[in-house]
Amino acid sequence: MMALALLRRYGTLIGFVLILAVFWISLPETFMTARNWLNTTQQLSMLMVVAAGMTIVMAMGDFDLSVGSAASLAGIVAGALFIAGYPPAMAVGAALAIGLAGGAINGVLVSVIGILPFIATLATLTIYSGLAFVISGGKTISGKSIPESFGNFAREGLPLGEVGGVALMLPNLTIVAVAVVFLVWVLLEQTTFGRRLYAIGGNIEAAYLSGVPVRRLKLAAFALTGLSAAGAGLMYASRVASANPTQGSGLMLNAIAAVFLGMTMSEQGEPRILATVIGVLILGVLDNGLTQLAVDSYIRQILVGAIIVLAVSAGALGKRGRR
Amino acid sequence: MMALALLRRYGTLIGFVLILAVFWISLPETFMTARNWLNTTQQLSMLMVVAAGMTIVMAMGDFDLSVGSAASLAGIVAGALFIAGYPPAMAVGAALAIGLAGGAINGVLVSVIGILPFIATLATLTIYSGLAFVISGGKTISGKSIPESFGNFAREGLPLGEVGGVALMLPNLTIVAVAVVFLVWVLLEQTTFGRRLYAIGGNIEAAYLSGVPVRRLKLAAFALTGLSAAGAGLMYASRVASANPTQGSGLMLNAIAAVFLGMTMSEQGEPRILATVIGVLILGVLDNGLTQLAVDSYIRQILVGAIIVLAVSAGALGKRGRR
Amino acid sequence: QSKVAVITPYLAQPGTQFYVEAFQAVAKEKGWDVNVIDTSGDVAAVISRIEDVVNQGVDAIVINVDPAQVTAGLQSAKNANIPVVGMDAGSDPLLATNVTSDGVAMAETTATYVVDRIGAKGNVVMFVFDAFPPVQIRGAKADEIFAANADIKVLDRITPDVSDGGIADSRAKMEAVLAANPASGSISAVWAAWDQPALGALQAIEAAGRQGEGIVITGIDANPQAREEVAKGGNLEATVAQDFTGIGTAAAEAVAKLLAGETIADPVIFVPTKLVTKENAAN
Amino acid sequence: MTLLSLSHVAKAYAGVPALSDVNLTLAAGEIHALMGENGAGKSTLIRILAGVIQPDRATIEMDGRPVTFESPGAAHRLGLRFIHQELNTVPALSVAENIFVGRRYPTRAGVFVDWRQLHATARAALDRLGITHVDTRRKMGSLSIGDQMLVRISSAFLSEAGAPARLYVMDEPTAALTREESERLFRVLREIRAGGGAVLYVSHRIDEVMALCDRATVLRDGTTIDTGRVAEITHDDLVALMIGRKVGEAYPPPATRPSGEVALVAQGIGNGALADVTLRVGKGEIVGIAGLSGSGQRELLRTLFGDLPLRRGTLELDGRPYHPKSPADAWRAGFAYVPRERRSEGLVLSRPIFENVTLAHLASQSLGGTFLRPRAERAFAARLGGDVRLRATGPGQLALQLSGGNQQKVVFARALSGNPRVLLLDEPTRGVDVGAKFDIYSIIRDMTANGMAVILVSSDLPELIGMCDRIAIMREGRMTGTVSARGLNEETLLNLCYGRGAEAAA
Ligand SMILES: Nc1ncnc2c1ncn2[C@@H]1O[C@H](COP(=O)(O)OP(=O)(O)OP(=O)(O)O)[C@@H](O)[C@H]1O
Ligand SMILES: Nc1ncnc2c1ncn2[C@@H]1O[C@H](COP(=O)(O)OP(=O)(O)OP(=O)(O)O)[C@@H](O)[C@H]1O
Ligand SMILES: [Mg+2]
Ligand SMILES: [Mg+2]
């Protein structure tokens, strides 16, 4: 009984640890190194930021399909302002503001007008993506248009000293991702705002009857998700030192997947930010490890899917219980 | 009060009719012609079949992200068997069987193992897509490998006589789509199977305690969705006379969107097959009409999103009621 | 045994597969251990995968993506002294060289073909994709050529949805264009920046029963399906054969040089292209 | 002194009036009962006060000034506190957080939740109702339904700065409570009355109302029939006022004696929740299960019904082994079940009445077991609905549009839909008005006369004593004894439940 309960609760986590162990054994030299992990966290930082934002709306039981487009749009807006000669700080600020506004629009559609989140954010996905195309003329903004300082941000970091003759640094993108995760953690776990979001997610009827201002909170939550998407879009643009109207599109499904993976780790199946972090790491570590093992791209796809199924099965089987 | 109730119930439908009216007025010569509609229905037939299958799982409150990959996989399997020299009927049968099996695997993961549908079908999305790549070697199967009869199927239809000197025909693909919609309608609306799916979708606990065999039904429903995805994949392959490991990928989000659009039309927000048909038509007509109007591709994206928001807003505002 | 990583977001594209195969053929001869990595359209993931293989200590890297967007990865390769070769990528100081077809020249070839065939007069439908730089420059060149002919009107400049491979959505878009322009002769030509939309347009025209109107279609890439159609002598009259195999081979040879410690002087190596028409489509 | 006055309140749903003309005044320092049969409009009136729905027409004054309640938050700010009829909890959150849902959490630095303070305050709120056995850190969803209800109730008594409570509105708070728990609630309500607060109280338990309340207002068909002092009216007259007819006895007498033939035998059954339970129920017999809440009564029913696994022991039905793997098996074997929580466990709320009624035996209502015959289903559901005095616009009405008591009747109608051989009842008459209760009891009696066996779990001791032939007592998953219900009094039964004087009974 005890073992089953542990499996139920920590099934996915155990799966994650097993994945790590397999890679560590197969790649003894390169996988479990500070360098590789610093690299991996940097690679995952954009996804992490979007997934953190996604956790906010998913805590309320909603979700947001438009994050990928919002990320692309933010990158394009910043790029267009760079071209127009605005200082980087201003361009970045404007791009974040666009994200916040885009998120707020989602919030209005969902909470004030009352459109199902799936349709509302699918529609805005299309709209924001269209806007990104229109603003950029469909082209990639890159090269000299992008200020040095902006492109360098993603390349720099906090020096951590040398290990084995190689200089290590904590990448700026990783720092940003950690900071965002911390802020979202505080928001969701330590403030009335966050707790109310969980109340809405757990039983919207009960929350409403108890006087929770459901509409207002939904709006705010969606706005924050939009803001985080814009942040991720800027990180992405900085990392590729260019802005492209489709570059965020891969983020949405992965972010939702990371949150869902995390949800398999919480007792009542609610999204939790720290569990989302594990979800992101699972997705990222699989990619990193399988690439290092030089597994064929197609086989890798199959393996990623199969491993995810296995990782969550243990927890699911334990949880199945009655039905 | 009466007007509001009508708006609530038929908001999206009214939106659809308005869209039709605008296109009719802007394109008096070409939009509302038999020819254009036969064409449009043919274009939409694959999406219609997938969306019909999606309606089945969504009636239970689940959904299936793997339909696009399953469609691609079915096309590739048929293509590979064509190359291997099997007769078309056998290749088609095998591809459909693969779809059914893939759907059943989703069903097992969701209902027997108990994985959240989102994760389970996202994982199988990756797996089926990987399989399609592996089987095809990543290449498009086309040309002489595809039997004439298979490629011709999508080009032929039921002759409807001549109108204005042009021969009209009811395309085979449209006939298939209508047949699938009819079958799904019978299944969901006229049989105990469908009634029980809706009960599960309404309150799974109550359905279970009332003796509904939840696990078995979920498995069957997912299997049927997989079958429909495979059918759509074959239709697609026939239409483009080739099979490509990614060709189904656009279907998933659109199919879910169509069902959700339909859901805005039913009183309790449950998916209904006939409402799904309207959802598919809305998506398709927007594309068709805006392209005929030669609206710039990017602006068209924005318009599609905005029009969807407007079309469902009326219904949503009416429904908002309490919260 | 040298380890070489080939990284691309576009492995599903038919062209990419040909050069990857040609590359692998050479690699096999030379006894390299090749790791082909596809990031399914995600450009930032290309950076990540470059970092991964740098970390893993490969001897050379081949990329098939706009280098300007993966500078961070190229930089990390440079820091580790690992040479990077572009395979139909784009020029960049961080690349040892880029092996490619001349996209501008290809677009020029087909656009000029169209202009000649329709007598520099009529309505043209364009299928473009500006989000991908190598295809974007083709569209830009074609724009330029059509704009230079006062009697040519670009009826629509369509960006199809490519997530399904590009044929089906292009066909649907073309069907709508045909429906909106029902008169015979109202569309003179379809210029497509690559073959899939050309095929989609062809199917739409055939399905509408308007193949007799003499609508000229051209593509670029000469993929097998397009070649077959060109050989049939239908509306799809021309496409340009990029020598994918040649690109793959040339890229492999560039890698071989680099592995041998040599340097490559040319920042771009152009592999010649060839216009494919009914006459030469069979070979 | 009048605290709140409501006049000419009207509310219609899609043209069908739920309230037509309700008039009510509440004075500070009184406990005021709101009475009426199922569907009379009590909960609708309360939802209006709570700002959940808006009336079509109403004049509402507080302290003589006109007020409106446009949202639950607004009603709260005006000092109104609610316990709604249905259990509204957030299962994924802790008990403490459930108490604070919708309230301001205590914070440090004005931002961060002060968890220690939160739990301390929640603890105090629970203690006030004597709920010492519930840890504030537990997840709400892991509590028994009775405990969840107690937690919800305690949240109404949270003292708050800024919005002092003046009126407590309670819609059938005791429906899921034991007598002791109810008594503790009454003590608190009396304290509130003594402190000058007011209570509007809804219950179908007439005795409770007679003992607790000062005045009562009776609604019928959405209209105020009468208001008066409780002390000046008799039990029977109050009932007559509510349901428009006299009900003599509360429980119909048994028509025949059980035949003695055995229907169901459980021999030493056990699993995670049950230990060595042995029980036999004869044809035509009604066996009650009594015990403190959380003693395993619910688990016993769920095990018999194939939901919980049978790990040890054997079951026999009509002399043949019976081993259900799922509720579907149980229904097929001739069992029927009325679960405790009608909304979460019983009904598909978004579907019409007839679909809910026929769900368990749908195949037998269909053509060839496959094709639906909605018209026949409607007729069937209408007939069963009539039997249980269901009050609805028709069998096509959605379950969620029904009043609480009428929803309960739908669940009951489903249980009767296949002429069950064994009927498992978990609090079957919760929220059902006195008149309808009598009718339901009569149906049970009729069916037992035809050989149906019944197992009845109820926290309503008079119901157990009034309906059962025998009563089995459970404690911590075990059977501790069985007594004949004849001549049993409530005090003895309660003592048995507490394990006092068990020897005497054995
Ligand atoms: N959402 C709704 N739509 C339509 N009718 C409704 C709705 N809610 C309640 N009603 C109707 O309003 C009437 C009054 O219901 P209400 O819940 O107020 O009764 P009640 O007095 O609380 O009954 P009970 O004792 O059973 O709880 C009923 O006839 C019910 O069917
Ligand atoms: N899912 C669960 N997880 C943890 N504990 C549970 C769970 N379900 C029930 N319990 C606990 O098991 C005990 C029995 O619960 P049960 O619901 O059977 O109570 P009960 O006998 O029906 O009493 P009541 O009349 O109070 O509902 C309770 O202490 C309850 O808190
Ligand atoms: Mg009520
Ligand atoms: Mg119990």
Side-chain angles (χ1 to χ4, degrees):
Chain A
M1 270 337 263
M2 239 0 240
L4 197 71
L6 277 178
L7 196 65
R8 175 171 45 231
R9 186 65 199 276
Y10 297 107
T12 307
L13 204 58
I14 295 170
F16 177 56
V17 172
L18 281 179
I19 294 170
L20 290 183
V22 169
F23 284 139
W24 198 352
I25 293 167
S26 328
L27 298 159
E29 314 264 284
T30 55
F31 183 74
M32 214 35 113
T33 60
R35 172 166 212 89
N36 190 41
W37 277 94
L38 289 174
N39 239 325
T40 306
T41 55
Q42 180 177 19
Q43 293 165 10
L44 293 177
S45 57
M46 283 91 54
L47 177 59
M48 189 63 251
V49 169
V50 178
M54 190 67 84
T55 309
I56 301 176
V57 278
M58 286 180 69
M60 303 185 303
D62 290 338
F63 55 119
D64 182 351
L65 302 181
S66 73
V67 288
S69 303
S72 302
L73 179 60
I76 290 291
V77 165
L81 293 176
F82 290 151
I83 292 179
Y86 287 90
M90 211 157 144
V92 165
L96 291 175
I98 289 281
L100 193 70
I105 291 175
N106 287 333
V108 169
L109 295 181
V110 170
S111 74
V112 181
I113 304 197
I115 304 179
L116 292 169
F118 192 96
I119 303 194
T121 60
L122 185 70
T124 57
L125 177 165
T126 315
I127 295 175
Y128 300 158
S129 158
L131 282 173
F133 272 102
V134 167
I135 295 175
S136 65
K139 295 189 197 67
T140 301
I141 301 171
S142 64
K144 304 223 176 52
S145 329
I146 307 287
E148 281 281 302
S149 62
F150 184 74
N152 284 343
F153 179 78
R155 271 175 230 154
E156 291 165 0
L158 216 65
L160 293 179
E162 302 222 341
V163 173
V166 205
L168 283 185
M169 65 170 191
L170 186 63
N172 281 337
L173 294 185
T174 302
I175 298 175
V176 171
V178 170
V180 169
V181 166
F182 177 74
L183 286 177
V184 173
W185 178 80
V186 168
L187 189 79
L188 287 184
E189 306 286 344
Q190 303 297 333
T191 70
T192 305
F193 175 77
R195 303 320 297 168
R196 286 182 169 173
L197 295 189
Y198 280 110
I200 293 174
N203 185 345
I204 189 170
E205 182 79 14
Y208 175 72
L209 288 177
S210 306
V212 173
V214 175
R215 220 179 269 188
R216 205 144 21 97
L217 291 183
K218 284 211 166 184
L219 208 159
F222 272 100
L224 289 176
T225 302
L227 179 65
S228 77
L234 291 170
M235 291 163 72
Y236 199 112
S238 170
R239 181 156 162 85
V240 298
S242 61
N244 170 303
T246 62
Q247 67 193 9
S249 61
L251 291 171
M252 179 264 287
L253 217 54
N254 279 327
I256 300 185
V259 179
F260 269 107
L261 273 173
M263 281 161 65
T264 62
M265 279 173 265
S266 67
E267 212 179 349
Q268 305 283 327
E270 74 277 13
R272 298 247 162 218
I273 179 70
L274 297 181
T276 298
V277 172
I278 306 282
V280 169
L281 286 178
I282 291 180
L283 294 176
V285 163
L286 281 179
D287 248 1
N288 174 282
L290 292 173
T291 305
Q292 287 200 37
L293 284 174
V295 175
D296 174 89
S297 290
Y298 306 149
I299 304 284
R300 193 173 63 207
Q301 270 198 24
I302 300 180
L303 283 180
V304 167
I307 293 172
I308 289 179
V309 164
L310 287 181
V312 300
S313 283
L317 269 178
K319 222 164 266 183
R320 171 175 62 153
R322 315 238 327 258
R323 184 144 313 96
Chain B
M1 263 344 259
M2 245 356 245
L4 198 69
L6 276 177
L7 196 64
R8 171 168 52 232
R9 187 65 201 276
Y10 298 107
T12 308
L13 204 60
I14 295 170
F16 177 55
V17 172
L18 281 180
I19 294 170
L20 290 183
V22 168
F23 284 140
W24 198 351
I25 293 168
S26 326
L27 298 158
E29 313 266 285
T30 57
F31 183 75
M32 215 34 114
T33 60
R35 169 157 218 100
N36 190 42
W37 277 93
L38 289 174
N39 237 324
T40 306
T41 56
Q42 182 178 14
Q43 291 166 13
L44 293 177
S45 57
M46 284 90 54
L47 177 59
M48 190 63 251
V49 169
V50 178
M54 189 68 83
T55 309
I56 301 175
V57 279
M58 287 182 70
M60 304 185 301
D62 290 337
F63 54 117
D64 183 350
L65 302 182
S66 74
V67 287
S69 303
S72 303
L73 179 60
I76 290 292
V77 165
L81 293 175
F82 291 150
I83 293 180
Y86 287 89
M90 213 160 144
V92 164
L96 290 175
I98 288 279
L100 193 69
I105 291 176
N106 287 333
V108 169
L109 295 180
V110 170
S111 75
V112 181
I113 304 197
I115 304 180
L116 292 169
F118 192 96
I119 304 194
T121 59
L122 186 70
T124 56
L125 176 165
T126 316
I127 295 175
Y128 301 157
S129 157
L131 282 174
F133 273 102
V134 168
I135 294 175
S136 64
K139 296 196 197 66
T140 301
I141 299 171
S142 66
K144 305 228 173 51
S145 333
I146 307 285
E148 281 280 304
S149 63
F150 183 75
N152 283 344
F153 180 78
R155 278 187 218 137
E156 292 166 358
L158 216 66
L160 291 180
E162 302 223 340
V163 174
V166 205
L168 283 185
M169 64 171 192
L170 188 61
N172 281 339
L173 294 184
T174 301
I175 298 174
V176 172
V178 170
V180 170
V181 166
F182 176 74
L183 286 178
V184 173
W185 178 78
V186 169
L187 189 77
L188 287 183
E189 307 286 345
Q190 304 295 329
T191 70
T192 54
F193 179 78
R195 171 73 63 74
R196 290 177 172 148
L197 292 191
Y198 280 112
I200 293 174
N203 184 345
I204 188 170
E205 179 77 13
Y208 171 73
L209 289 175
S210 303
V212 173
V214 174
R215 222 179 267 186
R216 201 142 25 95
L217 291 183
K218 281 208 168 187
L219 209 156
F222 271 100
L224 289 176
T225 302
L227 179 66
S228 77
L234 290 171
M235 292 163 72
Y236 206 114
S238 169
R239 181 158 160 87
V240 299
S242 61
N244 168 305
T246 63
Q247 68 193 8
S249 64
L251 291 171
M252 178 264 287
L253 215 55
N254 279 327
I256 301 185
V259 179
F260 269 107
L261 272 173
M263 281 161 65
T264 63
M265 278 174 265
S266 66
E267 212 178 349
Q268 296 299 312
E270 75 276 8
R272 294 265 163 208
I273 178 69
L274 296 182
T276 299
V277 172
I278 306 282
V280 168
L281 286 178
I282 290 180
L283 293 176
V285 163
L286 280 181
D287 240 7
N288 177 281
L290 291 173
T291 307
Q292 283 201 36
L293 285 173
V295 175
D296 173 87
S297 294
Y298 308 149
I299 303 283
R300 192 171 61 213
Q301 272 198 23
I302 300 180
L303 284 180
V304 167
I307 292 173
I308 289 179
V309 164
L310 287 180
V312 301
S313 281
L317 268 178
K319 224 164 268 184
R320 175 174 62 155
R322 317 231 328 253
R323 187 143 312 105
Chain C
Q1 198 192 16
S2 300
K3 282 199 275 184
V4 183
V6 179
I7 306 177
T8 172
Y10 312 115
L11 194 55
Q13 301 290 328
T16 311
Q17 284 154 18
F18 283 110
Y19 33 72
V20 169
E21 272 170 20
F23 185 93
Q24 280 175 312
V26 177
K28 197 168 173 194
E29 258 168 47
K30 312 231 180 216
W32 300 337
D33 175 6
V34 179
N35 182 11
V36 179
I37 300 162
D38 177 29
T39 64
S40 337
D42 186 346
V43 176
V46 171
I47 302 182
S48 306
R49 300 290 84 82
I50 295 176
E51 288 166 351
D52 289 350
V53 298
V54 165
N55 198 17
Q56 190 198 352
V58 296
D59 300 294
I61 298 171
V62 177
I63 59 163
N64 164 235
V65 65
D66 177 17
Q69 296 184 51
V70 296
T71 313
L74 298 179
Q75 193 66 51
S76 74
K78 189 183 173 76
N79 295 345
N81 275 319
I82 299 173
V84 184
V85 169
M87 189 160 66
D88 196 9
S91 297
D92 193 281
L94 288 170
L95 289 182
T97 187
N98 178 40
V99 183
T100 183
S101 310
D102 190 342
V104 176
M106 291 190 293
E108 192 166 9
T109 308
T110 54
T112 310
Y113 181 92
V114 165
V115 172
D116 292 349
R117 281 283 290 116
I118 65 176
K121 187 159 168 285
N123 294 332
V124 177
V125 179
M126 294 175 71
F127 282 91
V128 296
F129 198 78
D130 291 345
F132 182 45
V135 177
Q136 185 254 324
I137 57 169
R138 298 177 189 173
K141 186 68 197 177
D143 286 340
E144 194 184 294
I145 290 173
F146 294 138
N149 287 278
D151 290 336
I152 289 184
K153 185 177 158 228
V154 174
L155 206 54
D156 205 346
R157 200 173 182 280
I158 297 168
T159 305
D161 179 358
V162 296
S163 67
D164 59 10
I167 298 185
D169 190 56
S170 302
R171 174 173 174 174
K173 294 292 185 320
M174 190 66 203
E175 279 169 347
V177 171
L178 288 167
N181 298 278
S184 173
S186 55
I187 301 171
S188 306
V190 177
W191 182 90
W194 73 109
D195 281 339
Q196 269 83 354
L199 289 165
L202 174 68
Q203 291 178 355
I205 288 168
E206 287 177 354
R210 293 176 63 174
Q211 56 272 63
E213 289 175 22
I215 303 173
V216 176
I217 308 174
T218 66
I220 289 178
D221 288 346
N223 77 31
Q225 202 176 354
R227 244 175 217 280
E228 272 175 34
E229 293 296 344
V230 171
K232 279 187 198 160
N235 296 62
L236 179 47
E237 295 187 2
T239 178
V240 181
Q242 290 197 61
D243 186 358
F244 293 114
T245 309
I247 293 177
T249 313
E253 274 152 14
V255 169
K257 274 190 190 168
L258 294 165
L259 290 176
E262 295 172 43
T263 52
I264 297 171
D266 298 333
V268 190
I269 299 172
F270 281 126
V271 175
T273 58
K274 199 165 84 190
L275 184 70
V276 175
T277 55
K278 193 181 168 195
E279 284 69 40
N280 63 357
N283 27 17
Chain D
M1 188 185 61
T2 301
L3 173 65
L4 182 73
S5 88
L6 303 163
S7 29
H8 308 301
V9 183
K11 170 76 185 175
Y13 285 103
V16 181
L19 299 179
S20 350
D21 187 17
V22 173
N23 299 285
L24 177 69
T25 58
L26 281 169
E30 77 162 339
I31 301 180
H32 193 118
L34 183 60
M35 312 282 293
E37 58 185 336
N38 295 134
K42 306 177 291 294
S43 300
T44 303
L45 184 68
I46 287 172
R47 280 197 285 269
I48 288 171
L49 283 179
V52 179
I53 54 174
Q54 299 304 316
D56 299 339
R57 180 161 52 80
T59 312
I60 306 177
E61 290 181 356
M62 226 175 143
D63 301 322
R65 276 188 303 274
V67 288
T68 53
F69 303 103
E70 62 279 330
S71 73
H76 186 87
R77 281 188 291 278
L78 285 164
L80 274 58
R81 299 289 182 272
F82 293 88
I83 292 301
H84 290 285
Q85 182 171 9
E86 306 298 345
L87 188 61
N88 275 300
T89 63
V90 188
L93 295 185
S94 69
V95 166
E97 290 199 71
N98 267 278
I99 291 174
F100 273 90
V101 173
R103 309 282 74 83
R104 287 193 80 81
Y105 284 38
T107 51
R108 289 174 200 277
V111 181
F112 306 106
V113 174
D114 184 343
W115 293 105
R116 190 188 301 216
Q117 181 66 38
L118 179 89
H119 283 284
T121 313
R123 179 77 268 153
L126 289 176
D127 288 346
R128 184 164 181 202
L129 275 173
I131 316 165
T132 50
H133 63 287
V134 171
D135 183 349
T136 59
R137 279 165 221 276
R138 270 180 71 181
K139 288 269 188 285
M140 193 70 165
S142 73
L143 264 48
S144 74
I145 287 157
D147 284 343
Q148 290 191 36
M149 196 67 205
L150 287 171
V151 171
R152 286 293 302 131
I153 293 172
S154 71
S155 75
F157 301 124
L158 204 62
S159 58
E160 272 178 282
R166 307 188 56 201
L167 169 62
Y168 295 86
V169 180
M170 312 222 141
D171 198 351
E172 299 189 40
T174 55
L177 302 189
T178 62
R179 219 178 61 173
E180 293 238 322
E181 289 161 349
S182 303
E183 284 302 335
R184 285 200 295 269
L185 171 63
F186 299 155
R187 218 161 37 233
V188 175
L189 293 182
R190 289 189 181 105
E191 281 168 26
I192 284 166
R193 169 171 61 189
V199 178
L200 182 62
Y201 187 85
V202 176
S203 176
H204 288 293
R205 298 184 173 175
I206 315 285
D207 296 332
E208 210 170 82
V209 168
M210 302 295 289
L212 176 70
C213 300
D214 305 302
R215 290 196 298 159
T217 292
V218 176
L219 298 187
R220 201 191 301 161
D221 292 335
T223 307
T224 302
I225 295 291
D226 202 358
T227 298
R229 301 202 58 79
V230 170
E232 290 160 11
I233 192 169
T234 65
H235 181 294
D236 290 356
D237 289 343
L238 187 53
V239 170
L241 210 51
M242 272 169 62
I243 66 175
R245 63 186 168 125
K246 290 243 180 216
V247 175
E249 284 294 315
Y251 303 98
T256 50
R257 306 213 40 185
S259 64
E261 268 179 274
V262 173
L264 177 73
V265 181
Q267 188 67 50
I269 61 170
N271 51 29
L274 302 178
D276 193 24
V277 171
T278 295
L279 180 72
R280 55 179 60 223
V281 187
K283 290 194 173 148
E285 191 181 27
I286 304 178
V287 174
I289 311 285
L292 302 180
S293 76
S295 297
Q297 305 96 310
R298 170 194 174 85
E299 283 72 14
L300 174 61
L301 296 190
R302 288 290 179 110
T303 306
L304 297 176
F305 201 59
D307 175 31
L308 294 178
L310 184 66
R311 301 238 182 266
R312 290 175 297 278
T314 57
L315 289 175
E316 260 177 40
L317 181 63
D318 294 339
R320 274 190 297 276
Y322 162 69
H323 201 117
K325 301 229 164 8
S326 70
D329 288 348
W331 284 102
R332 255 194 307 274
F335 277 69
Y337 178 46
V338 173
R340 179 169 303 183
E341 242 291 302
R342 56 180 168 252
R343 286 205 316 171
S344 63
E345 303 170 338
L347 292 169
V348 185
L349 285 169
S350 59
R351 307 303 310 164
I353 292 168
F354 77 90
E355 291 189 16
N356 276 286
V357 170
T358 57
L359 188 57
H361 291 288
L362 189 57
S364 65
Q365 294 292 325
S366 331
L367 211 63
T370 303
F371 292 98
L372 298 173
R373 296 185 306 159
R375 204 158 332 144
E377 285 183 67
R378 280 168 190 268
F380 179 73
R383 185 166 59 72
L384 279 178
D387 289 350
V388 295
R389 276 185 188 263
L390 179 64
R391 184 192 171 108
T393 55
Q397 193 173 15
L398 299 177
L400 57 84
Q401 296 174 336
L402 297 178
S403 77
N406 284 303
Q407 290 178 347
Q408 187 69 33
K409 293 175 203 166
V410 173
V411 179
F412 201 84
R414 173 197 305 144
L416 300 181
S417 67
N419 290 320
R421 286 147 74 189
V422 182
L423 183 58
L424 307 177
L425 303 172
D426 200 348
E427 309 281 359
T429 58
R430 167 185 292 184
V432 174
D433 69 46
V434 271
K437 248 185 206 172
F438 187 84
D439 295 330
I440 288 178
Y441 294 143
S442 305
I443 295 171
I444 295 177
R445 284 270 189 249
D446 287 350
M447 293 178 72
T448 52
N450 294 328
M452 180 179 73
V454 180
I455 301 181
L456 171 62
V457 170
S458 177
S459 52
D460 186 351
L461 299 185
E463 179 175 87
L464 280 177
I465 294 168
M467 286 300 292
C468 297
D469 300 301
R470 286 183 298 136
I471 299 175
I473 319 290
M474 286 190 77
R475 264 168 74 77
E476 294 170 0
R478 297 174 180 281
M479 280 299 177
T480 57
T482 307
V483 291
S484 164
R486 193 165 315 240
L488 195 66
N489 69 39
E490 282 187 51
E491 220 49 48
T492 319
L493 184 55
L494 200 60
N495 280 333
L496 286 169
C497 292
Y498 273 99
R500 295 183 292 246
E503 312 78 29

